[in-house]
Amino acid sequence: MMTMELQIQVAQAVQVLNHDVHSGNRVAANQWLVEFQQTDVAWEVATTILASNSPFLQDLEVELFAAQVLKRKIQNEGVCLQPEARNALQTALLLATKRYSLGPPSLLTQICLALSALVLRSVELKKPIEQLFASLNELQGQGSGSSAILELLTVLPEEVIEDQKNNSTVSSARRWQFSQELLSHTTAVLEFLLHQTEGNVEDNIQRHEKNRKILRCFLSWVRVGCFMEIPQNVLPAHPLLNFVYNSLQVSSSFDLAIEVLTELVSRHEGLPQVFLSRIQSFKDGLLVPALASGNEKIISGLACLMAEIGQAAPALIAEASPEAIILADALLRCVAYPTEDWDIADSTLQFWCGLAGYILGTEFEGSRKHMALVVFVPVFTALLDALLLRSQIDTSNLSVDELDELFDIPDGLAHFRLNMEELLIEICHLLGPTQFIQKLFAGAWSSSEATIPWQDVEAKVFVLNVVAEIVLQDSPTFDFSILMQLVIFLSNNSSVGLTGFMFWVQKSVADALGSYSKCVSFVNHAIVPLLLFLSSGLSRPVTTSACATALRRICEDAPRIIAEPSNLEVLIWIGEGLEKMHLPLQEEEDVISAVAIVLNAVSNRELLEKSLERLLKSSYEAIEMLLTIDSEGSFRQHSSGYAHSLESAGRAFYRIGTIFFQLSNPALPSPVGEESILLVLRHFWPLLERIFGSPHMQNCGLSSAACKSLSQAIQASGQQFSSLLTKVMDCLSTNFLSFQSQECFIRTASVVIEEFGHEEEFGSLCISTFQRFTAAESISALNSSYVCDQEPDLVEAYTGFTSTFVRCCPKEVVAAAELLVEASVQKAAICCTAMHRGASLSAMSYMSCFLEVSLSSILESGSCILESSLSDVALKICSRAGEGIISGLLYALLGVSAMTRVHKSTTILQQLAAICSASEGTNKKGIICWNSLQNWLLSTVHALPAEYLKPGEAETLVPTWLKALQGAAIDYLESKKSQGGGNRGYMQGVGGRSLKQIVREFTDTHRHVPPSFNSN
């Protein structure tokens, strides 16, 4: 009684879910049905619904729901069913397949899916497939049972494949056993399918539908490997293949027949030759009529099949047999077929790439290669023509208004062009760059605007750019002046008519100019049109990147010509307009770089000064404007006007920084030396100093831009900046203390120390800056791996600064900062345990840097180490921080992505072991010695949580590691002596490699939840 009530409730809930007009009722019904599916009684209710004769329950939606419930429960809980329950369920599902053998098809499919899932999970049965097939034999003799068997045979192999994809709870061993037992019935299944193809069905519609079911079933068995079970020599003559061939002639079954043949080709080595022999009939009987009638379904299917045949056996095609030539010609026709999308041509690209690659390969040589080239070079030449045609931007169906608007190429064409690039490169290799270029530009374009085929021009220039790398390697003699002819024409005819489309012409020409800038002969009278051409494209999204890149590359390759006054005037004019263009930062950097590169070639000091003043005027004004906003008391942090001013000032700093970088790295010797840098610096520093003293620096974008420009100014100016260092370091440390989330101040201070830290006069300045950073609240808070993971950029900036300090400052300065260095080393030992890979590795890099500097100093000092020297200070720091370093490294090796930390961890361990070993022969062995290392390792291992080590491992780990550390230390010290103080000894000897192997094995066998390592 309870089951009957639930059946009715299920039926009502399904009806509400699918048909109720109120969304609240549908949500409630859905929730009830979801909860119902989780209950144990759902098994019985769903099974009863499928067997019920009640008119109320005999509803497709209700029955479909019941079948889906059983399928899901079997997939999720089937392995837990008791044998009796599983047998009863299988019997019920078999009866349901018989009952619904004539449909509805969707319901029959769901029942068969449930039955196949159940058989897969019948783990206690030795041969569940055999028992199922015995039941199927009984079902086959009952009227319409063949339809049910056909559907079940279709989904059984799919169950193996889909189950594997879904990575369900069924083990791989069980899945393999299921597939093997399934394949053992291959002969019977193929005979059954063959018998079904011979059945008489009077209704053509029913015949076509049955043939589709046969093909779908056959496809499932091919995918699971059924033809691997029969002798391969009889495979070509198998009767089912004739059925598939015949199905190609029927529109309703064509797509499935193509799928079957494609799957067979990809799985069986002997079949490409068999199918190749039928290419003539495929072409004449199917492809040619389809091309004539425009039947894209047939063309697309045949293109996929023929391409698959060629890809499966490129060696067979390369032999240039008559059938191979027919195949190539057929695919060539498919590529050239004019259609609104590019899927057909796109499906053939990998075939052509594979064939060209095979012909060009080293394994294909001699007369065979010569014959292949003779036959296929004309084919690939024709293919190039077809690709050029298909890659053209079609504007024939667009109105003038549409073309004048912001025109964009179709996504399908963009995708096809991207996929086509590899093939174009292969064709260029095959034909040779010179022949390829000559073919590309065969014939002359008329100089008349009305007769220039711009679609053809754009496509050819696009292809020219794609093969640029190959062409440039061959040093061709081709005259690339055609590009300049296009530039001049487009510059002189700004209204060519098809404005929107012409943007793409401009983009392709600009791309090619950038790629071939070294080959194009730039004459003085053509430079102004060229600059105007590129300038006009900077403001359009389609052409911005191409024109900016081309401008930079041309200026790099022809700075002397562009530095001529008339040309320079136009270039400076372009730079002056950047403020209003609002280009992306990368493109703006390209343009500014281009101008600065040319300014390096200006020999007239007065012209240079005026040019720089004009170029930077807008940048200075943007910064002044921001400062004015603040000084007038109109500071509005959240206003759009203020945001615009911040962005403009930030861009101004990026532009100034780029100019500093380019002026300090001239490609050719600069005629005016460092004067250009000093001219910029004279105006730059006062503005920067005012910005650093303003509250605007709380804006992260502005502070990053200002710091980057300052870094580039320092690197460019050299000693010219030395008088400003005190102010610079004060600005940086003060701003960091005010805005501690912005690590850019620390990174810029690192640049200062790298440039000037080696000079003793700045030692106290470096130490005071070090002290201010270390005392900051945000740095002091880096006392656990959790905090380090929250602030990875800060960790990287601080450890980068400390590394630079230790590496660049004189020994006396580093020794004087003993307490700061010790604190930073201990902090690095904590930071190296962070989950964030960058933060962890930067902390390890600092520890390694400190130990390297320390070890070098100790070895230079010999046996007598002076008090308060760097060697003395280093030994004291190691004695106090050594245990923390060892502990931090072990925790790092037990964390996330630990294998990426093995190399640096091993290096630090070897360095530390070398220091302990080297100190034994000095007067400071009372501070640190080999026993120190042993005690640190013992203490760390015993402090590890018990779950991190295997039983008894703590007792064996320390002796093993100590032995490896001793060997590594000896290796390194001997290496340092033999190399005259070089630092190439890490892990080069047997001891070093053994240590790394031990550390790697430890890491690989100890995978734990990442630990939290605290300072206490």
Side-chain angles (χ1 to χ4, degrees):
M1 189 65 180
M2 179 67 70
T3 302
M4 177 59 70
E5 292 177 359
L6 279 175
Q7 292 174 31
I8 296 173
Q9 290 177 8
V10 167
Q12 292 172 338
V14 170
Q15 291 296 320
V16 170
L17 178 64
N18 293 331
H19 302 290
D20 199 292
V21 295
H22 299 293
S23 61
N25 293 341
R26 293 197 302 273
V27 170
N30 180 69
Q31 182 63 34
W32 187 88
L33 290 171
V34 168
E35 293 175 358
F36 164 75
Q37 292 179 66
Q38 312 303 319
T39 63
D40 290 336
V41 74
W43 292 102
E44 182 182 353
V45 171
T47 304
T48 305
I49 288 175
L50 291 177
S52 174
N53 292 318
S54 169
F56 184 72
L57 298 178
Q58 285 184 325
D59 177 85
L60 175 60
E61 292 178 347
V62 177
E63 293 167 333
L64 195 60
F65 173 77
Q68 290 171 336
V69 167
L70 290 176
K71 182 188 70 174
R72 293 192 195 101
K73 289 188 75 67
I74 290 169
Q75 289 173 340
N76 296 328
E77 308 169 29
V79 292
C80 302
L81 286 173
Q82 295 298 316
E84 297 79 6
R86 184 180 291 109
N87 291 336
L89 181 58
Q90 181 169 319
T91 300
L93 288 172
L94 282 168
L95 290 173
T97 58
K98 176 185 175 182
R99 179 178 184 180
Y100 298 103
S101 60
L102 295 180
S106 58
L107 178 57
L108 179 60
T109 298
Q110 290 298 318
I111 294 171
C112 290
L113 285 171
L115 185 55
S116 60
L118 182 66
V119 175
L120 176 61
R121 288 158 179 81
S122 298
V123 291
E124 82 286 350
L125 298 178
K126 292 185 178 180
K127 293 185 177 181
I129 299 288
E130 187 171 320
Q131 294 185 20
L132 177 63
F133 270 72
S135 301
L136 293 182
N137 288 332
E138 182 181 343
L139 184 62
Q140 185 176 2
Q142 300 177 7
S144 59
S146 294
S147 298
I149 295 174
L150 196 58
E151 184 64 29
L152 185 56
L153 289 178
T154 301
V155 301
L156 274 171
E158 290 176 355
E159 182 68 25
V160 176
I161 299 168
E162 290 302 315
D163 188 79
Q164 189 170 6
K165 288 181 182 178
N166 295 333
N167 194 25
S168 74
T169 54
V170 178
S171 68
S172 57
R174 173 59 193 154
R175 201 160 43 232
W176 181 86
Q177 180 186 353
F178 181 87
S179 63
Q180 293 305 301
E181 188 181 350
L182 196 65
L183 290 172
S184 68
H185 296 274
T186 292
T187 302
V189 170
L190 294 181
E191 288 177 357
F192 170 77
L193 291 177
L194 188 59
H195 177 71
Q196 294 300 306
T197 66
E198 298 167 351
N200 294 322
V201 180
E202 294 182 1
D203 190 321
N204 281 336
I205 296 177
Q206 291 181 358
R207 162 50 61 191
H208 293 198
E209 182 60 33
K210 185 171 184 180
N211 285 349
R212 282 187 61 82
K213 291 181 179 180
I214 295 170
L215 285 169
R216 181 168 161 251
C217 183
F218 187 31
L219 179 61
S220 293
W221 281 79
V222 169
R223 284 175 174 165
V224 85
C226 70
F227 270 9
M228 297 293 185
E229 302 299 311
I230 64 177
Q232 296 299 291
N233 60 334
V234 304
L235 182 58
H238 199 284
L240 276 175
L241 287 184
N242 286 326
F243 169 72
V244 178
Y245 294 145
N246 293 332
S247 298
L248 289 172
Q249 309 293 329
V250 182
S251 176
S252 62
S253 58
F254 174 83
D255 54 342
L256 277 171
I258 287 290
E259 279 195 71
V260 172
L261 294 176
T262 302
E263 194 72 32
L264 285 168
V265 166
S266 66
R267 290 176 173 273
H268 300 276
E269 293 182 1
L271 285 182
Q273 175 70 67
V274 176
F275 291 168
L276 192 61
S277 65
R278 289 180 172 262
I279 287 296
Q280 183 72 62
S281 62
F282 290 166
K283 177 184 173 183
D284 295 340
L286 291 170
L287 181 61
V288 173
L291 290 169
S293 63
N295 189 331
E296 294 189 11
K297 175 184 176 181
I298 302 296
I299 300 170
S300 177
L302 288 173
C304 289
L305 174 60
M306 292 187 295
E308 189 67 36
I309 293 171
Q311 284 179 254
L316 191 63
I317 309 301
E319 294 296 336
S321 65
E323 293 82 7
I325 297 172
I326 294 171
L327 173 72
D329 177 70
L331 283 171
L332 194 56
R333 293 183 183 218
C334 293
V335 174
Y337 175 72
T339 178
E340 292 183 358
D341 62 41
W342 293 265
D343 291 343
I344 294 174
D346 194 81
S347 67
T348 71
L349 296 181
Q350 286 304 310
F351 159 74
W352 295 111
C353 280
L355 178 58
Y358 187 84
I359 294 173
L360 291 168
T362 55
E363 68 275 12
F364 192 60
E365 294 291 346
S367 59
R368 294 165 60 229
K369 184 168 191 170
H370 174 73
M371 177 58 68
L373 289 171
V374 169
V375 171
F376 285 108
V377 162
V379 173
F380 278 95
T381 303
L383 175 63
L384 178 59
D385 288 332
L387 292 173
L388 284 168
L389 188 63
R390 294 298 293 124
S391 63
Q392 287 183 12
I393 300 173
D394 184 11
T395 61
S396 60
N397 296 324
L398 300 178
S399 67
V400 174
D401 290 337
E402 289 175 314
L403 289 168
D404 284 340
E405 294 172 357
L406 188 59
F407 176 79
D408 200 2
I409 66 173
D411 290 341
L413 177 56
H415 184 73
F416 176 65
R417 283 187 166 193
L418 183 65
N419 292 343
M420 189 175 69
E421 291 182 4
E422 182 184 358
L423 176 56
L424 290 172
I425 291 171
E426 292 289 1
I427 296 175
C428 188
H429 277 302
L430 194 68
L431 302 184
T434 301
Q435 184 179 344
F436 184 93
I437 298 297
Q438 289 173 349
K439 170 63 181 174
L440 197 60
F441 292 103
W445 293 317
S446 169
S447 60
S448 169
E449 171 186 329
T451 58
I452 293 181
W454 286 111
Q455 286 87 355
D456 185 48
V457 171
E458 190 279 333
K460 288 185 175 180
V461 176
F462 162 76
V463 171
L464 179 66
N465 182 59
V466 169
V467 299
E469 185 177 349
I470 310 302
V471 173
L472 291 173
Q473 288 174 358
D474 196 57
S475 301
T477 57
F478 182 78
D479 184 7
F480 287 94
S481 62
I482 190 171
L483 294 176
M484 288 304 299
Q485 293 173 19
L486 290 170
V487 167
I488 293 171
F489 181 86
L490 292 170
S491 298
N492 294 336
N493 298 269
S494 56
S495 58
V496 184
L498 304 180
T499 309
F501 164 69
M502 293 307 293
F503 295 162
W504 284 91
V505 177
Q506 185 177 29
K507 177 186 183 302
S508 294
V509 173
D511 279 330
L513 282 170
S515 297
Y516 293 96
S517 59
K518 296 182 183 297
C519 299
V520 179
S521 297
F522 298 109
V523 292
N524 193 41
H525 68 82
I527 294 300
V528 170
L530 172 61
L531 295 177
L532 292 175
F533 168 79
L534 295 175
S535 172
S536 67
L538 290 174
S539 58
R540 304 183 188 111
V542 171
T543 54
T544 298
S545 179
C547 289
T549 302
L551 182 62
R552 174 177 54 79
R553 290 179 178 174
I554 290 169
C555 288
E556 288 172 346
D557 294 325
R560 299 290 191 200
I561 298 176
I562 302 177
E564 293 295 323
S566 59
N567 301 329
L568 182 61
E569 173 68 25
V570 178
L571 190 63
I572 295 299
W573 171 76
I574 294 173
E576 287 178 311
L578 283 177
E579 180 67 27
K580 297 179 180 179
M581 290 186 191
H582 302 291
L583 301 182
L585 284 176
Q586 180 58 57
E587 281 67 39
E588 188 167 282
E589 181 179 337
D590 281 338
V591 176
I592 283 292
S593 295
V595 180
I597 288 167
V598 172
L599 288 177
N600 269 327
V602 175
S603 57
N604 186 303
R605 189 182 188 283
E606 183 180 356
L607 178 60
L608 173 65
E609 187 170 351
K610 289 182 178 179
S611 299
L612 280 170
E613 183 179 348
R614 288 176 57 191
L615 178 63
L616 293 171
K617 182 181 178 182
S618 61
S619 298
Y620 295 150
E621 289 176 347
I623 299 171
E624 287 279 10
M625 178 62 71
L626 183 63
L627 291 167
T628 302
I629 290 174
D630 188 36
S631 63
E632 292 177 352
S634 57
F635 181 83
R636 296 290 184 270
Q637 184 173 352
H638 300 293
S639 70
S640 59
Y642 178 64
H644 175 72
S645 296
L646 281 172
E647 182 186 5
S648 296
R651 283 176 171 269
F653 279 120
Y654 279 123
R655 289 197 291 270
I656 295 171
T658 301
I659 290 172
F660 272 122
F661 176 78
Q662 293 296 344
L663 293 179
S664 63
N665 295 279
L668 300 172
S670 176
V672 295
E674 297 181 350
E675 291 186 29
S676 56
I677 298 174
L678 296 179
L679 288 171
V680 180
L681 185 61
R682 192 177 300 128
H683 294 87
F684 168 70
W685 171 248
L687 287 174
L688 185 65
E689 187 176 18
R690 290 166 61 191
I691 281 288
F692 269 120
S694 74
H696 302 299
M697 293 303 285
Q698 67 182 302
N699 180 270
C700 185
L702 179 67
S703 61
S704 296
C707 285
K708 183 176 181 180
S709 64
L710 175 57
S711 298
Q712 290 169 318
I714 292 170
Q715 292 167 332
S717 305
Q719 289 301 316
Q720 306 297 334
F721 219 96
S722 59
S723 61
L724 302 173
L725 286 191
T726 301
K727 290 183 178 179
V728 169
M729 292 299 244
D730 181 64
C731 286
L732 292 171
S733 57
T734 300
N735 274 280
F736 177 69
L737 292 175
S738 300
F739 315 112
Q740 296 190 26
S741 63
Q742 300 180 26
E743 75 287 344
C744 58
F745 301 111
I746 300 180
R747 295 186 191 277
T748 306
S750 298
V751 173
V752 175
I753 293 181
E754 189 156 13
E755 293 293 321
F756 297 97
H758 62 280
E759 300 181 23
E760 292 186 11
E761 61 181 294
F762 298 117
S764 59
L765 178 62
C766 295
I767 292 176
S768 64
T769 305
F770 192 175
Q771 192 278 330
R772 296 188 76 182
F773 285 153
T774 304
E777 183 179 346
S778 59
I779 300 298
S780 300
L782 297 175
N783 54 12
S784 73
S785 59
Y786 175 79
V787 176
C788 294
D789 282 323
Q790 304 306 305
E791 298 288 348
D793 292 337
L794 185 62
V795 172
E796 291 183 39
Y798 180 70
T799 54
F801 173 86
T802 52
S803 294
T804 305
F805 178 88
V806 169
R807 176 171 46 84
C808 297
C809 289
K811 294 179 180 179
E812 296 76 15
V813 175
V814 177
E818 176 182 351
L819 296 179
L820 290 171
V821 174
E822 180 181 346
S824 62
V825 169
Q826 291 175 336
K827 198 167 291 294
I830 297 170
C831 294
C832 77
T833 67
M835 292 171 60
H836 190 277
R837 185 170 178 267
S840 176
L841 293 181
S842 63
M844 289 185 179
S845 294
Y846 168 50
M847 289 192 289
S848 179
C849 176
F850 165 73
L851 293 174
E852 173 61 29
V853 170
S854 302
L855 188 54
S856 297
S857 178
I858 292 168
L859 294 177
E860 289 174 9
S861 299
S863 60
C864 183
I865 297 177
L866 299 178
E867 192 69 26
S868 299
S869 65
L870 177 58
S871 300
D872 179 52
V873 168
L875 289 174
K876 290 177 181 177
I877 292 174
C878 288
S879 68
R880 296 191 290 265
E883 184 174 344
I885 294 174
I886 295 290
S887 182
L889 292 177
L890 278 178
Y891 274 93
L893 294 172
L894 292 166
V896 173
S897 302
M899 293 302 291
T900 63
R901 310 176 193 197
V902 167
H903 182 81
K904 282 190 178 294
S905 297
T906 308
T907 299
I908 295 170
L909 288 169
Q910 187 174 15
Q911 289 171 318
L912 197 56
I915 289 175
C916 291
S917 181
S919 66
E920 292 278 359
T922 70
N923 59 332
K924 298 292 182 178
K925 64 180 180 180
I927 298 176
I928 186 174
C929 59
W930 188 256
N931 285 337
S932 304
L933 181 64
Q934 181 176 354
N935 292 334
W936 298 335
L937 191 57
L938 275 170
S939 177
T940 299
V941 170
H942 288 300
L944 286 173
E947 64 269 19
Y948 282 7
L949 297 178
K950 302 170 185 176
E953 187 179 13
E955 288 70 27
T956 60
L957 187 147
V958 174
T960 303
W961 279 47
L962 280 175
K963 182 179 179 181
L965 285 166
Q966 188 172 28
I970 293 171
D971 270 359
Y972 181 68
L973 293 175
E974 289 180 351
S975 175
K976 290 284 276 188
K977 293 175 184 177
S978 64
Q979 294 174 13
N983 62 349
R984 295 176 296 171
Y986 298 122
M987 289 168 280
Q988 297 302 305
V990 175
R993 290 194 294 270
S994 298
L995 176 62
K996 186 172 184 178
Q997 181 64 30
I998 287 175
V999 173
R1000 182 181 294 279
E1001 289 176 357
F1002 172 81
T1003 305
D1004 192 41
T1005 55
H1006 293 76
R1007 304 296 179 94
H1008 290 282
V1009 176
S1012 177
F1013 183 73
N1014 299 314
S1015 59
N1016 52 353

